[in-house]
Amino acid sequence: MDTDLPEAAILPLIEEYTGPVAGIRRTERGFSSDLTAVVDCAKGPFFVKAMRNRPGGRRESLVRERRINAYLGHISPHLLWDVEAEDWLVLGFDVVDGRPADFAPGSPDLAPVVDTIGEIGRLRLPQIARDWTETRWDRFASDSSEAELFRGDSLLYTDINPSNLLVAKRRVWAVDWAWPTRGAGFIDPALLVLQLIAAGHTPTSAEKRADLLPAWRTAAPVAIDAFAAANLRMYRAAVGRKPDVDWLKAMVDACRAWTEHRGVATE
């Protein structure tokens, strides 16, 4: 094995937990980590996320994932062990043998996906997350009063997309808790709405799915409007930086369809 690869670097660090390793299979998801892989080994298998132990947001995301896992119950695969060395931070999880959820209209995955988002909405905000205030959309709000609409005391997942909601034996797992935050409870349902529109739903049908979730039903329409507009501004800015990325352009289209449906001005 190439000694410059993450696989070679982490093997001496994890062997206490894995025993002899038969192989390391990289996975398709996990773009924010230096390595995401299934480790086939004597004591496993394990799903492993590894990051170079350097200051910054990417390391902080893995630290948050390590800290929040114990509060997620059966919604996310359990963190079984972790290693923090001078050069590497490694997390070892249960392996979920699943596939990405199908968000398309008519998919049988939609009901269990909504159920899982509902379960996330019922999680209590742990003390460790009290300082994790959600601010990512603040600069895309029209003013500070709109940004205040995104505040709240709910534990938010925020990374809702088909690749992070894995279907395994009629059950949906929410994986990759890279950036949980504290904020308004409607935000996760709203992100689901946006993803459903991007997957081909009309805004009306997408919002009907969200209406099954209490945090959406009780949210002030003005708060949802502000969030929809902030997302359109955010994705427009992202396309401005990366004009050739097709999925970003698709998200702009989805955001535009949603804001037009809600009659929200975004200029």
Side-chain angles (χ1 to χ4, degrees), residues 59-134:
R59 178 191 180 277
E60 175 61 23
S61 73
L62 209 60
V63 171
R64 283 202 187 189
E65 187 164 6
R66 177 175 64 182
R67 297 183 69 192
I68 200 62
N69 186 264
Y71 300 94
L72 302 179
H74 63 281
I75 293 172
S76 180
H78 291 141
L79 177 64
L80 302 175
W81 48 263
D82 64 276
V83 178
E84 184 163 2
E86 180 179 358
D87 295 325
W88 287 91
L89 175 60
V90 188
L91 308 184
F93 297 88
D94 276 329
V95 174
V96 173
D97 185 14
R99 59 169 174 80
D102 181 359
F103 278 22
S107 166
D109 295 346
L110 295 175
V113 163
V114 172
D115 287 346
T116 297
I117 302 303
E119 289 185 64
I120 293 171
R122 291 189 291 274
L123 292 172
R124 296 184 65 180
L125 181 76
Q127 187 62 37
I128 62 165
R130 287 281 168 186
D131 294 332
W132 298 351
T133 303
E134 179 55 71

Side-chain angles (χ1 to χ4, degrees), residues 15-258:
E15 60 185 357
E16 172 186 352
Y17 302 99
T18 63
V21 172
I24 299 179
R25 297 175 281 132
R26 292 198 180 202
T27 63
E28 294 181 1
R29 65 182 187 275
F31 302 108
S32 62
S33 298
D34 292 310
L35 176 68
T36 58
V38 174
V39 177
D40 296 309
C41 55
K43 299 180 182 180
F46 301 106
F47 174 69
V48 166
K49 297 182 74 171
M51 189 87 70
R52 288 176 175 82
N53 202 356
R54 299 169 181 165
R58 295 176 71 236
R59 178 191 180 277
E60 175 61 23
S61 73
L62 209 60
V63 171
R64 283 202 187 189
E65 187 164 6
R66 177 175 64 182
R67 297 183 69 192
I68 200 62
N69 186 264
Y71 300 94
L72 302 179
H74 63 281
I75 293 172
S76 180
H78 291 141
L79 177 64
L80 302 175
W81 48 263
D82 64 276
V83 178
E84 184 163 2
E86 180 179 358
D87 295 325
W88 287 91
L89 175 60
V90 188
L91 308 184
F93 297 88
D94 276 329
V95 174
V96 173
D97 185 14
R99 59 169 174 80
D102 181 359
F103 278 22
S107 166
D109 295 346
L110 295 175
V113 163
V114 172
D115 287 346
T116 297
I117 302 303
E119 289 185 64
I120 293 171
R122 291 189 291 274
L123 292 172
R124 296 184 65 180
L125 181 76
Q127 187 62 37
I128 62 165
R130 287 281 168 186
D131 294 332
W132 298 351
T133 303
E134 179 55 71
T135 60
R136 279 169 289 184
W137 286 273
D138 285 13
R139 66 191 181 97
F140 301 105
S142 62
D143 54 40
S144 59
S145 64
E146 276 199 355
E148 284 299 312
L149 298 173
F150 308 154
R151 304 290 183 263
D153 287 323
S154 294
L155 176 66
L156 302 178
Y157 177 30
T158 74
D159 205 2
I160 295 170
N161 62 72
S163 295
N164 281 349
L165 291 159
L166 299 185
V167 180
K169 297 180 179 178
R170 300 181 62 82
R171 174 178 175 180
V172 174
W173 297 81
V175 304
D176 196 11
W177 283 73
W179 210 254
T181 54
R182 172 193 181 189
F186 76 85
I187 287 179
D188 277 343
L191 293 173
L192 176 63
V193 168
L194 187 52
Q195 289 288 330
L196 291 177
I197 296 171
H201 295 254
T202 66
T204 298
S205 65
E207 289 189 345
K208 282 183 179 178
R209 291 283 178 178
D211 202 45
L212 298 171
L213 301 168
W216 172 271
R217 291 198 305 271
T218 59
V222 65
I224 297 174
D225 290 347
F227 189 71
N231 272 279
L232 179 53
R233 297 184 190 107
M234 181 182 72
Y235 280 110
R236 279 176 174 166
V239 168
R241 295 190 301 271
K242 300 179 179 180
D244 297 325
V245 179
D246 288 340
W247 75 267
L248 288 174
K249 291 185 283 188
M251 292 307 295
V252 168
D253 291 341
C255 289
R256 185 181 297 112
W258 192 24

